[in-house]
Amino acid sequence: MLARKSIIPEEYVLARIAAENLRKPRIRDRLPRARFIAKSGACNLAHKNIREQGRFLQDIFTTLVDLKWRHTLVIFTMSFLCSWLLFAIMWWLVAFAHGDIYAYMEKSGSEKSGLETMVCVTNVRSFTSAFLFSIEVQVTIGFGGRMMTEECPLAITVLILQNIVGLIINAVMLGCIFMKTAQAHRRAETLIFSRHAVIAVRNGRLCFMFRVGDLRKSMIISASVRVQVVKKTTTPEGEVVPIHQLDIPVDNPIESNNIFLVAPLIICHVIDKRSPLYDISASDLASQDLEVIVILEGVVETTGITTQARTSYIAEEIQWGHRFVSIVTEEEGVYSVDYSKFGNTVKVAAPRCSARELDEKPSILIQTLQKSELSHQNSLRKRNSMRRNNSMRRNNSIRRNNSSLIVPKVQFMTPEGDPNATES
């Protein structure tokens, strides 16, 4: 409005708006990349539009075990309550059909003692008493106030049926609770992986490494580690494969793939021609859309159940030119593990090129190591010179302090020619 009336020049207004737009940084938040396996090991996958829901009921035991604890406890409680109510209705119908309820209502107190041999179930006068008798039968409490007689074969059949149903419910629900408490993934909570993976030179080759450990003293028998790379690929025909899995070998000096997980171990994968990481350099790593999945499997020593622990590393969690610090020391004849340094790394000399370039030009590794050695020597010289300077300054300060603390000598002069003179 002001610009139209020429109170403020239009050029000034445009320049002011442009300056304000330049001052405001336009930062577009980068959406976090969806990972296939979370750091905790859970699969980040949502199942949608499943039409055949009845397949889950065909495997009802596994469905009950996979439910959450609150759902399992609700089903556990409702199964017993429903069975008690169902058989309470059946007991009340038996008593009603046999006329026991009317007999107890019509007879007086003195005449009710003779009804104990004529009724199907003694002291079942209402639905409440039938419900209490149903609980006593199924849970085998047996207070003694209500009991069966020989008058009704139908009541005996109901008794047998309720005992069988009660045993089935106990077996299924207790089995589900036992399996939920002894699930294999509970043991996997104490199998830990390093937060980051590293790429460094080991034995003259670029290697992808991560650390795995077990917090419990009970061991994992026949433990094995599998590593896979998951990334989005496109085939020559134009087909997009969103989850393309590639197995990568793990360097293991033992012929079998098993590891002895008595202490934390560094699992190493040599980046060679068979590796999906062969053409990736340090500068290309940040832009790679890949995920390295690590799977640790083994048998729990105490229970004999096979357990599996999982984790994954995306490109942002792979540190190039780092190495894990040592955490195993020997103290008084015992090996000690410091888990506070489990994921700590230090920078080391490593070529920034890919493994392919390193194989084609081995001199790159030699030059990198020479530069690292020179920088290390220079840092040692600087450190030694700083130590000498500090020690010289410290010695000078000590000398000055000592000189200030020295007491000056006082010489008493006697009159000339009379050395034996004394004060009067």
Side-chain angles (χ1 to χ4, degrees):
M1 196 64 145
L2 295 175
R4 289 179 183 176
K5 294 181 179 180
S6 300
I7 297 177
I8 298 177
E10 187 175 357
E11 293 80 4
Y12 178 79
V13 175
L14 295 176
R16 183 67 179 274
I17 294 174
E20 290 179 355
N21 291 333
L22 289 175
R23 291 172 189 171
K24 295 179 181 179
R26 296 182 180 180
I27 300 175
R28 295 182 180 179
D29 296 334
R30 184 180 177 183
L31 294 176
R33 178 183 174 273
R35 58 197 310 160
F36 191 57
I37 299 294
K39 297 298 290 185
S40 60
C43 295
N44 188 20
L45 187 66
H47 298 275
K48 296 182 179 180
N49 301 326
I50 300 177
R51 298 180 181 179
E52 299 180 0
Q53 299 288 345
R55 292 181 178 270
F56 295 99
L57 297 178
Q58 295 177 2
D59 188 10
I60 186 64
F61 186 78
T62 305
T63 303
L64 292 174
V65 173
D66 290 340
L67 291 175
K68 296 182 180 180
W69 269 108
R70 56 179 179 268
H71 299 155
T72 302
L73 293 177
V74 169
I75 294 175
F76 181 82
T77 305
M78 293 303 298
S79 61
F80 282 103
L81 288 176
C82 292
S83 64
W84 294 339
L85 288 172
L86 176 63
F87 283 99
I89 294 172
M90 296 178 67
W91 286 118
W92 185 84
L93 291 175
V94 168
F96 180 79
H98 195 261
D100 298 345
I101 297 177
Y102 292 106
Y104 276 107
M105 292 174 61
E106 293 176 355
K107 299 293 182 179
S108 60
S110 60
E111 296 176 350
K112 288 183 181 180
S113 59
L115 294 176
E116 295 181 357
T117 58
M118 299 173 57
V119 297
C120 295
V121 181
T122 59
N123 295 327
V124 176
R125 304 181 179 89
S126 61
F127 181 78
T128 304
S129 58
F131 180 73
L132 293 175
F133 181 71
S134 175
I135 296 175
E136 293 177 13
V137 170
Q138 188 164 335
V139 190
T140 63
I141 297 176
F143 291 115
R146 303 173 185 85
M147 60 182 180
M148 292 283 300
T149 62
E150 301 176 357
E151 292 293 323
C152 300
L154 180 60
I156 298 174
T157 304
V158 174
L159 176 65
I160 296 172
L161 182 62
Q162 186 173 6
N163 285 329
I164 294 173
V165 172
L167 290 175
I168 293 174
I169 293 175
N170 288 335
V172 172
M173 298 311 302
L174 293 178
C176 288
I177 292 177
F178 172 75
M179 290 301 297
K180 285 184 71 66
T181 54
Q183 279 182 337
H185 66 84
R186 303 295 179 186
R187 178 62 176 88
E189 296 294 335
T190 53
L191 297 174
I192 57 175
F193 300 88
S194 58
R195 184 71 181 176
H196 296 86
V198 299
I199 294 179
V201 177
R202 174 182 279 191
N203 298 326
R205 304 294 299 273
L206 274 178
C207 297
F208 173 86
M209 294 173 286
F210 59 92
R211 179 174 276 168
V212 60
D214 187 6
L215 298 178
R216 289 188 181 272
K217 291 186 177 180
S218 59
M219 296 177 55
I220 299 295
I221 304 172
S222 301
S224 61
V225 176
R226 293 188 292 115
V227 183
Q228 291 183 345
V229 172
V230 176
K231 61 180 181 179
K232 183 179 180 180
T233 58
T234 304
T235 62
E237 295 79 13
E239 180 186 0
V240 178
V241 182
I243 302 175
H244 183 56
Q245 301 181 15
L246 297 172
D247 287 331
I248 59 177
V250 176
D251 186 21
N252 195 349
I254 306 175
E255 293 183 359
S256 62
N257 198 27
N258 296 337
I259 59 175
F260 187 50
L261 197 59
V262 66
L265 299 177
I266 297 176
I267 308 300
C268 176
H269 160 64
V270 179
I271 304 177
D272 52 10
K273 295 181 180 179
R274 300 174 298 170
S275 174
L277 309 176
Y278 189 61
D279 296 323
I280 299 176
S281 63
S283 58
D284 299 335
L285 182 62
S287 61
Q288 291 293 320
D289 188 13
L290 60 85
E291 180 179 357
V292 181
I293 299 175
V294 180
I295 303 173
L296 172 63
E297 292 181 336
V299 179
V300 182
E301 183 181 21
T302 54
T303 61
I305 300 175
T306 303
T307 185
Q308 185 182 94
R310 300 178 296 268
T311 191
S312 67
Y313 300 99
I314 56 178
E316 291 80 3
E317 297 170 348
I318 301 175
Q319 297 179 344
W320 195 290
H322 283 70
R323 182 187 299 163
F324 289 105
V325 300
S326 179
I327 61 174
V328 180
T329 57
E330 186 177 356
E331 299 176 358
E332 299 179 357
V334 178
Y335 287 100
S336 177
V337 180
D338 186 5
Y339 281 98
S340 63
K341 302 177 182 178
F342 183 81
N344 293 359
T345 60
V346 293
K347 286 186 177 181
V348 294
R352 309 292 292 178
C353 62
S354 63
R356 178 186 292 275
E357 296 176 1
L358 190 62
D359 290 342
E360 294 175 354
K361 299 178 181 179
S363 60
I364 297 177
L365 178 60
I366 299 174
Q367 295 175 1
T368 303
L369 295 178
Q370 289 177 353
K371 291 180 181 179
S372 174
E373 184 67 23
L374 290 174
S375 62
H376 181 65
Q377 291 178 0
N378 292 331
S379 63
L380 286 178
R381 292 195 193 97
K382 291 180 180 179
R383 195 177 302 170
N384 293 332
S385 63
M386 290 177 63
R387 287 178 180 176
R388 290 196 209 96
N389 295 332
N390 292 333
S391 62
M392 292 175 62
R393 291 173 184 173
R394 195 180 301 109
N395 293 333
N396 293 333
S397 63
I398 292 173
R399 288 174 185 174
R400 285 194 295 267
N401 294 333
N402 292 336
S403 61
S404 62
L405 293 175
I406 294 174
V407 180
K409 295 181 180 179
V410 180
Q411 186 176 5
F412 296 95
M413 303 296 293
T414 57
E416 188 175 350
D418 192 6
N420 296 325
T422 57
E423 295 181 358
S424 58

